[in-house]
Amino acid sequence: MPFGDYYGSWRAMEELYREGKIHAIGVCNFYPDRLLDLCYNVEITPQINQIERHPHYQRKEDLEIMEELGIQVQAWAPFAEGMKGMFDEPILKEIAGKYGKTPAQVILRWNVQQGVIVIPKSVHRERMRENLNIWDFELDEEDMMRMAQLDKDCPSMLDTRKISEVRRVYDYLNHPVLTSL
């Protein structure tokens, strides 16, 4: 989409926001460079940016830029759907054992303690209950530092900077696959 159309669409959302027809404007999967570019060219900055974020893809720079811009971080796929051995990470298991929690609960708590809103996905009632049971403990500084060691600095779910991934997303209806990573 040419920049004129891109910003024109944003300006239309800004107008709806000013008229009170929408209550917030947000973006999804914006990397820091694109987010900063957007914010420098619009009147109303996004209130939220939904990004893939989990212990294997911690996105420290992204969080710093969003904090600087006053944009709330929301993590989709906080468990990376269990891909790449997420729930088998020895560090996560050790920390979970220390608090009598599951690795999933530790991941959710880790996000929350950093001010990140999480969107955990589950179709199982027991796991939904488990996901809500994260408010009776807090990870200490040592545990937070140990969690930082898990960062592989690459997505597990979707890398929108890879041309093959963009093509895969646009061709999803014809050839559905979970991920090519």
Side-chain angles (χ1 to χ4, degrees), residues 130-168:
E130 181 181 295
N131 290 343
L132 291 170
N133 190 14
I134 63 164
W135 305 105
D136 60 347
F137 76 107
E138 187 171 312
L139 300 173
D140 62 32
E141 188 176 328
E142 180 184 337
D143 295 328
M144 295 296 280
M145 289 175 26
R146 291 181 73 206
M147 296 270 307
Q149 297 171 12
L150 299 174
D151 193 3
K152 297 178 181 177
D153 198 30
C154 67
S156 295
M157 303 295 297
L158 176 66
D159 189 347
T160 58
R161 292 189 172 193
K162 290 175 73 176
I163 296 298
S164 62
E165 282 292 285
V166 174
R167 286 189 173 130
R168 181 186 64 80

Side-chain angles (χ1 to χ4, degrees), residues 76-103:
W76 60 265
F79 308 134
E81 295 188 3
M83 298 173 75
K84 299 186 179 179
M86 179 66 71
F87 296 124
D88 295 322
E89 286 285 355
I91 289 173
L92 282 176
K93 287 180 167 185
E94 289 172 23
I95 294 171
K98 174 180 174 179
Y99 296 99
K101 297 293 181 177
T102 65

Side-chain angles (χ1 to χ4, degrees), residues 79 119-128 131:
F79 308 134
I119 307 174
K121 176 185 164 192
S122 182
V123 295
H124 304 284
R125 281 189 192 276
E126 185 53 40
R127 287 188 191 146
M128 289 179 200
N131 290 343

